[in-house]
Amino acid sequence: MKKPGGASFRAFRVYIWLMRNMYGLRIILIGLGWAMAGSNSASAQAKAELNAMSALPITKLLAKPMASPVLADTSAFPLNYCTSLPRLEFGKWEQDYAKYERLLTPEIRRTQIGLGYRRGNVQVWWCQPSASPHAQLDTLTRVTNATQLEGKWKSVLTRTIVHQDSAALREQKFYRSAQFIPSDEQAEVTLANGRFTLFVKHGTAAPLGKIGRQKYALVNGRYLLVYGIIKSGGAVTQVGLDSVGRLVLHSCAVTERKVRGQYLTYETVLHQTVFERQQ
């Protein structure tokens, strides 16, 4: 398995500060990217959960079968909206995941820095922001021309979905789960003159606050690379346009856990924001 790789809004202010002042710390503070919503608290919680999980029986570490959609899952934006997942079959899972490798350019690969460590007999690998999670933005959304992104956009959906696939190696079976995490975050973005400007608020009554303004580049019709001084230190988001012209941003963190010969677990924390054009 090649290491997956991901980005979000609340940590963007921290990301910009790091990019301007402390680029060297990006390797140490890899979780503080333009990453998933609530990245600071979520990262601490994720590490605590990983530590606790290493002592659990193998059956507890595997994802549960996909549950029925939760109430927040609407007909307009189901949990799998604009999202592709590998088939849950041995041999085909890897094959489906690998087909996205051709879309990763050297420019995007240079932005990917992961953290690997062991906790007991569990080997863990973590990357945030990630450019190639196992829960991929559907390739049907690819942007043919960068000018299609230009303009002012307002969010109509902001949420986090935790996709988890687990493989029991001895039984050669895959399991899949998806957890929905609602958000009251609202965002507006403007893409113009090679600059990405972001405004965010929480709740309907709160005012919009400017989070940052950075350079951006559309890479391979699929990745939005937001950067400061150098592109290799930038943050990557999967970007696309759906069938009715809405802008879709997927910002991801990924975790891989494995015990040799027993199980593999792949988790994508996907922060999904959908925008409609205002101008």
Side-chain angles (χ1 to χ4, degrees), residues 51-70:
N51 294 341
M53 287 177 69
S54 64
L56 293 176
I58 295 301
T59 55
K60 295 291 186 181
L61 287 161
L62 297 175
K64 296 179 180 179
M66 179 73 82
S68 300
V70 294

Side-chain angles (χ1 to χ4, degrees), residues 19-37:
M19 280 298 303
R20 289 178 177 170
N21 303 284
M22 304 175 71
Y23 171 72
L25 284 182
R26 186 172 181 269
I27 297 177
I28 301 173
L29 303 177
I30 187 65
L32 297 177
W34 186 52
M36 55 188 181

Side-chain angles (χ1 to χ4, degrees), residues 213-228:
R213 185 170 185 264
Q214 290 280 275
K215 300 175 184 177
Y216 79 90
L218 176 67
V219 181
N220 205 13
R222 179 170 176 80
Y223 303 101
L224 190 68
L225 178 58
V226 179
Y227 61 99

Side-chain angles (χ1 to χ4, degrees), residues 137-158:
L137 181 66
D138 196 316
T139 54
L140 293 177
T141 67
R142 288 182 74 180
V143 183
T144 57
N145 192 309
T147 59
Q148 294 176 278
L149 300 178
E150 294 180 1
K152 183 177 180 181
W153 303 82
K154 182 177 181 180
S155 66
V156 294
L157 173 72
T158 302

